[in-house]
Structures are given as structure tokens and as C-alpha cells.
């Protein structure tokens, strides 16, 4: 029988601190900023509607507040998307998947293959236009336990899905 | 097996289900439309208006009866190849098939109507991200017990029947004395807020019905109050507190009446309730996280409540946490060893988190909590408002004590945590339940090489905040290795 039980020192363990993450597609930043732009347009439309219905006397103060509020939100969205894009990335290891993201609170998430229930690929209309897709990973039970790798090409997403599926099968055997 | 064979034929619920479903629908309608009904009874309407209200009520009644009979008639349950199958729907047919292995727990519940009809509501917790929660409103008690036993039969992950017989069952019961102590030490403040919220809601709903302007009433009442002596205010306060205590006492007493827990080291069988009787069976391998806690008062009399988080019992679904009252700390420990067989945490020797935790909490929660009311109160009370700055020092003390009490230690099986400011909370997490590990860093934590680590399971998460980045990474590496290297049956 081939059996080994080698002692593993903590320093020998593969560390989540030493990983080189794969960057997301450049088009993803564009898609994110376009989405932010669409949000801004919608916000402006709502703002103008509010302005249209308010009385003359208060108009100037409210116009300035609404427009500066929307401009601030837009600016924040554009900056945060850029910072988030620079930091975000994914890494595939033999036994787990890592995804890091966040412009303010930065998160590194690790999900182990032997805990994954299933995996799916999806893309919205804007993502499809730029040949992008997302891979969603589902674990058991709670909805908070799911995570999604966004901003990868459709081809890579399909490859990742196929690879994770094969790893899940191996892990569950 | 005779009983199992009978489940292979699709069968309906007990006919009592029609009454039970109708009762549920009626209560829901009454809850939603009671102000309109009050309006009907207390206001004199014209004949035509009265007729239309009667017609609407009759219409709802007929629709409810028809809908209930259709629901009853088309809902069938059976077992097919290790799957529990539930068919439902008339125009839109639905067939739900749940593999036995995905069923995490089976619960039987009986409200007074179900007890009178000798039926039970059966609900199942099942795995999967689809948040599957299945229920049958009324199965005859015999069938319900039979189904529960069938679904919770020892499978490949459980003990065999012989093992179960050999195992010494431990039984925990609450007698009347225990129940009184438990009820007296319940969260009366929570009850006070519930009563206040209910009262305000009642006033709002009845305003239209009685042309009653409660704001005017409250204003005139407040004006009167200011002119009255302090004795009346004290009397009213004492009255509110008394009613809250009676309410929360009765709530806890009724809920946990006849509480019994049977532990056979493979599953916990729990039964409780005075009017709404409940029976729950939780296989121990389905439990994800266990914690037990006591408020300041309960700690003094050694009363603890265990919170069991099984699959699907996440933060958004806190109501589904199973709560088990225990009358002594040693009882808690003996029960907890079924989940994590390790010596309990010794807070004195366990690891601490970084002191930045309490300082940041004080800065971002304590300081605004003190400054905002002070600024607002200054317009009314002048310099006396600065007394409110004492809130800041209270917050300092609160978070500092919380930080001092937050201790954790890792054992071979998992994590043990101890926390609480005035009360105490102990948490156990087994590494084999971990599905994901998160390392989170705020800008402050990044500057100071700190991180918070979150362990996510199928039943919720456990967070250790403010560790040094080195320690957090090392712990993450260790846990990931532990999960990936062991081929354990984790669920």
C-alpha cells in the first residue's frame, strides 16, 4: 500500500499571500464605466424631472444640490471602478480558486474545489458586446457563500468553467 | 419495510389540511385588512356601501375556499428512488424532487388546530443555493412521524441501528422552575420595543377608522405630562416596564414549555411548545456552527442558550437558528462535544485580536454617537448638552471591554471563540465545515498590516477581526490546507 504521512511545517504551506493574480480584461473597465455612465444619465433624468416639478422660488438651490450630488456620485463611481479594476484579479490553483476585488475594503476570497456544488457562466448585453463573461461559483446552503469572477473573456470563462467542473468531479470522487 | 412501501404511492395530505390552509389564509387576510373590517363594523355606511363590503368579503371567502381545495387536491407526496417528490399545482404543474441525501433536517410542528385535528406540519431543510424550504401543512401524526423516521433513517453517514441502540442517549429537560428562571431572564428590552412598535402600528392603523388624530392626542398628552409631577411619569414608566416583563415572560414560557432535547451523539431531537408544539431532528453532521450565549443576568445564574446554525441558516435567515436553553454551563459543554470534541477555550490563555479594533470602533461608532446628539441637544439645552459627551466615554469602555473579552484559539478540529461585553458568547466552528475563506482589509488595516478573516460555511459565517496580516494569512493557509487535504464527509 502506498501511504505517506509527512509532517508539513506551516512555512511549507502554499500561501495566499504569495499568489500572482491574473488581471481582468481591459474591456471590463470600459464596460464598468459605461454602466456607471448609464447610471449617471438615469440619475440626471430623475434630477431634471424633480427640477421640473419644483416651485420657482426654491429652484436654484435645489438644482445646484442635485447636480453637484450627481456629479460627485459620477466622479466617485469612475474613480472607484478604476481602483477596483487595478486591484481585481483571479488565480486558479490545483485545489482552489482565488478572486480579489474591492476599491475601499479589499477582499481576497478563496473557495475550495471540494466544497463547490456547481458552476455557471453568464453575460449581460453590454458584456456580450465586448466579448466578456462572468463565472459564478456556487457552494452549498447560504446565498452569501457564492462568488463571481467578473471581467474575463467569454473563451476564458468557458475554459475556467470546464476546468472547475472537472476539478469538482475529481474532488467529489 | 411496510411503511416505506406505502410512500411509493402518491398520496394527499390529511383532509384537515383544507381547514389548516384556510385558517392560515384567513389569518393573513385579517392581518392585512383588519382596519377595513373595523371600518365596516364601527362606521355606519349606506346600504349600498355595506352591500359592496359584504360582497368583497364573500368574494374573498369563496376564492379562499376554492383556492384551498385546489391546493389540497393537487398536492401529492411520494418517494421515488431515494427522492422525496412533491407534486403541486393545477394550471401550472410543479414537481419538486429532493434527494434524501440533501435533506438536512425534518421538523414537525403542531399549533392548537393541528393538535385538535391530530395532524402535524412537516417541513424540511434541504441543501443547495436555491434556498429550498418545503412544507406540508397537515399530515396525520402517524404519517408525519413515519416520514420523519424514514428521511432521518441512518444512512451511509450515520450510525447503524445497532450503534444507536448501544449509544447512551442523553436527555435534557426544562422543569417548571428552570422555565420560570429562563422566562424571568429573557430580553425584556426587546419585548418593550416590540410592544412599542405594535402600539404605534395600531394607532396608525386605527387613525383613519375612528377619525382619531393620535398626534394631537400624543401632543396634548405630552403637554399634560410636563405639567404633572414626576410621580406620574415614574408610574407610567414602571407600568410599561411591568407590561414588557409580563409579555416577554409569557412569550418565553409558552415557547419553551415542555422543552426536551435527546442527544444520541448522531442527532439531536428537540421538542418544545405549549400551544404550538414543535419537534425538530438535527443530524449532528449537518450542523455548521454552534454558539452559546448568556446575557449578564443569565450568566450570573448559569443559564445559557445554544444557537445551532445548520445548512441554510445564514445571517438573512436568523429566525431559523435553533435555540436550545441549557440550565448549566457543564450541560452546554457536554452537548457541544458532540459537535467538536475538544477542551473548551480558556479565555485567559487564548489569543487576542489587535487593540486597533476597539480604538477604531470607538472612533467610528462611539464618537458620532456622542457628537451628533450633543450638537442637536445644544440648541435646546445650551451647555447642559455637553453632558451627552459622556456617551463617548461609555463607548470607550464598552468597546475596550469587548476587545479584552474577544479571545480565540485554534484546535485540531477547528476554531473556538469567546466574546461579549456584559454577556458572554462562545462560538465553535469545525474546519471541515468551511467552504470559503475571505481576507478583508480596510485602508487603515492596509496601512497597518492588519486584516480580518472570515470563514464561510453553508450555515453562516464566523469573523475574526483585526489580526496582523501575517497571522491572518497563516491561519487562512492552515485552514485551506486542512479542508483540501482531508477527504472528510463534511455534510
Amino acid at each position: 500500500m502506498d501511504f505517506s504521512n509527512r509532517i508539513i511545517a506551516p512555512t511549507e504551506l502554499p500561501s495566499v499571500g504569495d499568489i500572482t493574480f491574473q488581471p481582468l480584461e481591459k474591456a471590463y473597465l470600459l464596460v464598468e464605466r459605461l454602466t456607471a455612465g448609464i447610471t449617471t444619465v438615469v440619475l440626471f433624468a430623475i434630477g431634471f424631472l424633480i427640477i421640473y416639478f419644483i416651485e420657482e422660488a426654491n429652484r436654484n438651490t435645489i438644482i445646484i444640490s442635485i447636480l453637484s450630488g450627481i456629479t460627485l456620485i459620477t466622479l466617485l463611481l469612475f474613480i472607484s471602478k478604476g481602483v477596483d479594476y487595478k486591484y481585481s484579479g483571479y488565480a486558479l490553483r490545483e485545489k482552489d480558486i482565488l478572486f480579489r476585488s474591492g476599491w475601499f475594503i479589499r477582499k481576497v476570497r478563496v473557495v475550495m474545489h471540494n466544497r463547490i456544488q456547481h458552476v455557471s457562466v453568464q453575460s449581460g448585453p453590454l458584456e456580450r458586446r465586448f466579448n466578456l463573461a462572468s463565472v459564478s461559483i456556487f457552494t452549498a446552503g447560504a446565498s452569501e457563500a457564492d462568488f463571481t469572477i467578473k471581467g474575463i473573456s467569454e473563451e476564458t470563462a468557458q475554459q475556467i468553467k470546464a476546468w472547475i467542473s472537472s476539478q469538482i468531479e475529481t474532488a467529489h470522487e | 419495510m411496510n411503511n416505506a412501501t406505502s410512500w411509493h404511492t402518491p398520496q394527499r395530505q390529511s383532509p384537515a389540511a383544507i381547514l389548516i390552509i384556510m385558517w392560515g389564509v384567513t389569518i393573513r387576510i385579517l392581518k392585512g385588512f383588519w382596519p377595513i373590517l373595523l371600518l365596516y363594523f364601527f362606521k355606519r355606511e349606506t346600504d349600498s356601501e355595506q352591500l359592496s363590503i359584504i360582497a368583497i368579503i364573500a368574494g374573498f371567502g369563496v376564492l379562499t375556499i376554492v383556492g384551498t381545495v385546489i391546493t389540497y387536491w393537487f398536492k401529492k407526496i411520494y418517494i421515488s428512488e431515494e427522492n422525496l417528490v412533491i407534486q403541486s399545482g393545477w394550471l401550472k404543474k410543479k414537481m419538486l424532487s429532493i434527494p434524501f441525501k440533501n435533506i438536512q433536517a425534518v421538523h414537525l410542528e403542531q399549533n392548537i388546530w393541528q393538535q385538535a385535528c391530530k395532524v402535524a406540519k412537516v417541513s424540511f431543510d434541504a441543501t443547495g443555493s436555491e434556498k429550498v424550504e418545503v412544507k406540508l401543512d397537515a399530515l396525520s401524526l402517524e404519517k408525519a412521524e413515519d416520514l420523519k423516521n424514514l428521511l432521518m433513517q441512518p444512512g451511509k453517514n450515520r450510525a447503524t441501528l445497532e450503534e444507536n441502540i448501544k449509544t447512551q442517549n442523553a436527555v435534557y429537560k426544562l422543569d417548571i422552575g428552570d422555565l420560570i428562571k429562563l422566562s424571568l431572564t429573557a430580553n425584556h428590552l426587546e419585548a418593550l420595543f416590540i410592544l412599542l412598535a405594535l402600539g404605534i402600528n395600531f394607532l396608525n392603523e386605527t387613525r383613519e377608522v375612528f377619525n382619531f388624530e393620535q398626534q394631537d392626542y400624543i401632543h396634548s398628552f405630552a403637554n399634560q405630562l410636563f405639567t404633572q409631577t414626576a410621580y406620574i411619569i415614574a408610574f407610567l414608566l414602571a407600568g410599561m416596564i411591568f407590561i414588557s416583563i409580563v409579555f416577554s415572560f409569557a412569550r418565553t414560557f409558552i415557547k419553551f414549555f415542555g422543552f426536551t432535547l435527546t442527544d444520541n451523539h448522531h442527532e439531536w431531537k428537540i421538542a418544545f411548545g405549549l400551544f404550538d408544539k414543535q419537534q425538530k431532528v438535527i443530524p449532528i453532521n449537518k450542523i455548521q456552527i454552534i454558539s452559546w450565549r448568556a446575557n449578564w443576568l443569565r450568566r450570573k445564574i448559569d443559564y445559557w442558550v445554544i444557537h445551532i446554525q445548520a445548512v441554510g441558516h445564514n445571517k438573512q435567515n436568523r429566525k431559523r437558528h435553533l435555540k436550545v436553553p441549557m440550565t448549566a454551563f457543564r450541560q452546554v459543554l457536554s452537548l457541544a462535544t458532540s459537535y467538536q470534541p475538544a477542551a473548551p477555550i480558556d479565555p485567559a490563555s487564548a489569543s487576542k485580536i489587535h487593540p486597533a479594533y476597539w480604538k477604531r470602533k470607538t472612533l467610528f461608532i462611539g464618537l458620532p454617537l456622542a457628537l451628533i446628539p450633543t450638537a442637536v441637544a445644544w440648541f435646546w439645552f445650551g451647555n447642559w448638552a455637553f453632558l451627552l459627551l459622556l456617551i463617548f466615554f461609555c463607548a470607550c469602555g464598552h468597546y475596550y471591554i469587548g476587545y479584552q473579552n474577544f479571545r480565540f484559539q485554534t484546535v485540531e478540529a477547528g476554531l473556538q471563540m469567546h466574546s461579549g461585553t456584559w454577556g458572554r458568547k462562545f462560538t465553535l466552528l469545525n474546519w471541515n465545515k468551511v467552504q470559503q475563506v475571505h481576507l478583508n482589509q480596510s485602508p487603515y488595516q492596509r496601512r497597518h498590516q492588519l486584516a480580518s478573516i472570515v470563514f464561510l460555511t453553508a450555515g453562516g459565517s464566523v469573523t475574526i477581526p483585526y489580526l496582523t496580516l501575517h497571522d491572518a494569512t497563516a491561519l487562512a493557509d492552515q485552514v485551506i490546507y486542512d479542508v483540501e487535504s482531508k477527504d472528510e464527509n463534511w455534510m
Side-chain angles (χ1 to χ4, degrees):
Chain A
M1 194 167 85
D2 189 16
F3 176 77
S4 67
N5 198 6
R6 190 168 70 89
I7 291 172
I8 310 253
T11 46
E12 277 184 59
L13 292 175
S15 177
V16 290
D18 306 332
I19 288 166
T20 313
F21 285 84
Q22 297 292 320
L24 305 183
E25 295 290 330
K26 276 185 185 160
Y28 177 64
L29 181 60
L30 186 63
V31 168
E32 284 287 280
R33 285 193 164 151
L34 272 174
T35 313
I38 293 167
T39 313
T40 309
V41 171
V42 172
L43 282 176
F44 267 110
I46 296 168
F48 281 122
L49 265 178
I50 294 169
I51 291 163
Y52 181 77
F53 285 110
I54 54 173
E55 286 177 22
E56 287 285 334
N58 305 320
R59 198 167 260 188
N60 284 343
T61 332
I62 294 177
I63 288 174
I64 291 167
S65 320
I66 289 177
L67 292 187
S68 45
I70 294 171
T71 314
L72 194 72
I73 291 171
T74 311
L75 210 67
L76 264 174
L77 276 173
F78 267 68
I79 294 169
S80 64
K81 297 288 179 195
V83 176
D84 184 31
Y85 170 76
K86 271 188 192 164
Y87 178 70
S88 294
Y90 64 94
L92 308 175
R93 298 199 295 185
E94 260 179 66
K95 292 179 186 294
D96 49 46
I97 303 141
L98 295 93
F99 184 63
R100 68 175 191 187
S101 62
W103 66 278
F104 189 73
I105 303 281
R106 290 189 169 170
K107 280 187 181 183
V108 176
R109 306 167 208 218
V110 189
V111 61
M112 290 67 99
H113 290 156
N114 57 359
R115 296 292 182 265
I116 298 174
Q117 298 293 313
H118 64 276
V119 59
S120 70
V121 170
Q122 66 276 326
S123 55
L126 210 56
E127 283 176 308
R128 280 198 296 278
R129 179 78 185 77
F130 290 92
N131 190 34
L132 291 175
S134 309
V135 179
S136 287
I137 292 159
F138 296 87
T139 51
S143 55
E144 67 176 298
D146 302 331
F147 84 72
T148 302
I149 303 173
K150 291 177 179 176
I152 46 180
S153 70
E154 168 76 33
E155 192 190 354
T156 314
Q158 292 298 349
Q159 282 171 351
I160 291 177
K161 185 189 170 228
W163 186 76
I164 295 174
S165 300
S166 69
Q167 294 299 104
I168 298 171
E169 271 174 36
T170 316
H172 288 284
E173 265 168 14
Chain B
M1 195 191 293
N2 289 338
N3 286 334
T5 317
S6 69
W7 285 106
H8 290 285
T9 321
Q11 47 196 290
R12 293 189 184 90
Q13 302 177 76
S14 159
I18 298 174
L19 287 176
I20 307 288
I21 299 169
M22 266 173 58
W23 173 253
V25 175
T26 312
I27 293 293
R28 276 203 295 279
I29 291 174
L30 281 178
K31 273 184 184 171
F33 296 99
W34 67 268
I36 297 170
L37 292 171
L38 271 185
L39 196 74
Y40 169 68
F41 284 114
F42 286 96
K43 278 194 171 177
R44 290 208 163 273
E45 309 286 355
T46 61
D47 285 351
S48 62
E49 279 174 332
Q50 278 196 348
L51 269 177
S52 17
I53 291 172
I54 291 170
I56 291 170
I57 294 172
F60 265 120
V62 171
L63 278 177
T64 308
I65 294 169
V66 173
T68 308
V69 173
I70 289 173
T71 308
Y72 163 75
W73 194 257
F74 289 96
K75 192 162 194 171
K76 287 178 187 169
I77 176 173
Y78 62 95
I79 283 165
S80 165
E81 294 173 356
E82 296 283 303
N83 286 290
L84 175 71
V85 185
I86 298 172
Q87 288 178 340
S88 58
W90 172 38
L91 296 173
K92 190 181 173 188
K93 302 267 183 205
K94 192 174 166 187
M95 185 187 277
L96 185 65
S97 180
I98 314 166
F100 280 10
K101 65 180 169 58
N102 286 5
I103 293 174
Q104 305 296 312
V106 178
H107 312 298
L108 301 193
E109 290 171 42
Q110 282 186 295
N111 61 26
I112 42 173
W113 299 111
Q114 283 154 334
Q115 283 173 53
C117 300
K118 293 191 174 152
V119 293
K121 175 181 157 186
V122 186
S123 56
F124 315 95
D125 290 345
T127 48
S129 302
E130 311 295 324
K131 294 179 188 159
V132 181
E133 193 192 356
V134 189
K135 68 177 173 81
L136 299 162
D137 292 286
L139 271 188
S140 72
L141 209 52
E142 265 178 34
K143 279 189 180 180
E145 287 282 356
D146 183 39
L147 187 64
K148 182 184 80 178
N149 293 335
L150 192 69
L151 296 174
M152 291 284 107
Q153 245 181 18
K156 57 180 178 181
N157 309 328
R158 307 218 184 89
T160 60
L161 195 60
E162 294 91 288
E163 275 174 330
N164 273 338
I165 292 164
K166 277 181 206 163
T167 312
Q168 185 70 42
N169 285 356
V171 179
Y172 303 89
K173 282 185 177 177
L174 283 187
D175 60 28
I176 292 292
D178 294 332
L179 201 55
I180 289 171
K181 281 185 199 167
L182 184 76
S183 309
L184 279 174
T185 53
N187 190 346
H188 303 306
L189 202 64
E190 185 190 69
L192 179 68
F193 284 123
I194 291 174
L195 283 178
L196 277 176
L198 284 174
I200 291 166
N201 185 44
F202 180 78
L203 281 173
N204 271 328
E205 299 278 8
T206 47
R207 186 176 57 176
E208 289 295 318
V209 178
F210 298 107
N211 282 330
F212 172 71
E213 277 299 332
Q214 82 269 23
Q215 279 192 346
D216 295 344
Y217 181 75
I218 288 167
H219 283 153
S220 68
F221 180 71
N223 287 336
Q224 279 176 23
L225 206 62
F226 275 115
T227 58
Q228 300 298 324
T229 56
Y231 291 113
I232 295 176
I233 299 171
F235 179 76
L236 281 173
L237 266 176
M240 274 172 68
I241 291 167
F242 178 75
I243 292 169
S244 308
I245 290 173
V246 170
F247 174 71
S248 66
F249 180 93
R251 209 163 62 120
T252 314
F253 192 90
I254 290 167
K255 185 178 175 187
F256 288 110
F257 185 84
F259 181 91
T260 312
L261 183 146
T262 312
D263 172 22
N264 66 11
H265 301 288
H266 300 290
E267 60 188 19
W268 290 346
K269 290 179 183 170
I270 301 166
F272 57 92
L274 181 61
F275 300 122
D276 289 356
K277 292 189 175 178
Q278 300 194 34
Q279 276 185 48
K280 294 174 187 281
V281 179
I282 312 280
I284 287 167
N285 65 340
K286 309 292 182 197
I287 296 172
Q288 305 294 304
I289 301 166
I290 285 186
S291 60
W292 59 95
R293 48 193 96 175
N295 58 30
W296 182 83
L297 200 57
R298 282 187 178 160
R299 237 178 87 206
K300 298 292 165 202
I301 57 167
D302 201 18
Y303 258 68
W304 298 84
V305 177
I306 302 182
H307 289 236
I308 301 164
Q309 288 173 249
V311 177
H313 297 185
N314 55 10
K315 213 182 270 178
Q316 291 81 36
N317 219 340
R318 213 177 271 263
K319 271 188 179 172
R320 287 174 66 193
H321 289 194
L322 262 177
K323 290 174 190 168
V324 179
M326 287 278 127
T327 53
F329 193 70
R330 58 180 168 72
Q331 280 187 351
V332 177
L333 293 182
S334 94
L335 207 57
T337 48
S338 297
Y339 171 76
Q340 190 180 86
I345 184 170
D346 174 15
S349 60
S351 307
K352 285 168 86 170
I353 52 173
H354 197 274
Y357 171 76
W358 78 270
K359 292 173 189 166
R360 303 294 289 176
K361 283 262 183 187
T362 309
L363 188 67
F364 287 107
I365 301 174
L367 196 61
L369 267 180
L371 284 182
I372 295 167
T374 307
V376 174
W378 188 79
F379 289 101
W380 277 278
F381 303 106
N383 289 343
W384 283 102
F386 289 111
L387 277 175
L388 286 172
L389 286 177
L390 285 173
I391 294 174
F392 175 75
F393 297 101
C394 293
C396 268
H398 177 81
Y399 289 120
Y400 182 72
I401 296 169
Y403 151 74
Q404 284 288 358
N405 287 334
F406 196 107
R407 304 294 173 110
F408 68 95
Q409 74 179 23
T410 56
V411 291
E412 198 186 340
L415 175 73
Q416 302 183 332
M417 276 178 17
H418 168 273
S419 57
T421 306
W422 311 113
R424 287 291 178 272
K425 181 182 173 189
F426 291 79
T427 308
L428 300 183
L429 164 72
N430 282 347
W431 295 139
N432 65 354
K433 304 294 175 189
V434 175
Q435 300 191 130
Q436 278 190 62
V437 180
H438 291 184
L439 281 174
N440 300 345
Q441 282 187 297
S442 66
Y444 175 87
Q445 287 176 317
R446 286 200 291 279
R447 278 201 305 278
H448 293 83
Q449 291 291 297
L450 299 169
S452 299
I453 187 164
V454 188
F455 301 107
L456 289 96
T457 72
S461 60
V462 171
T463 305
I464 309 177
Y466 283 82
L467 292 176
T468 62
L469 183 60
H470 175 267
D471 288 351
T473 311
L475 185 56
D477 294 339
Q478 183 64 49
V479 175
I480 293 165
Y481 173 76
D482 201 84
V483 174
E484 291 173 349
S485 61
K486 288 178 185 164
D487 186 24
E488 278 181 321
N489 173 32
W490 61 286
M491 198 157 66

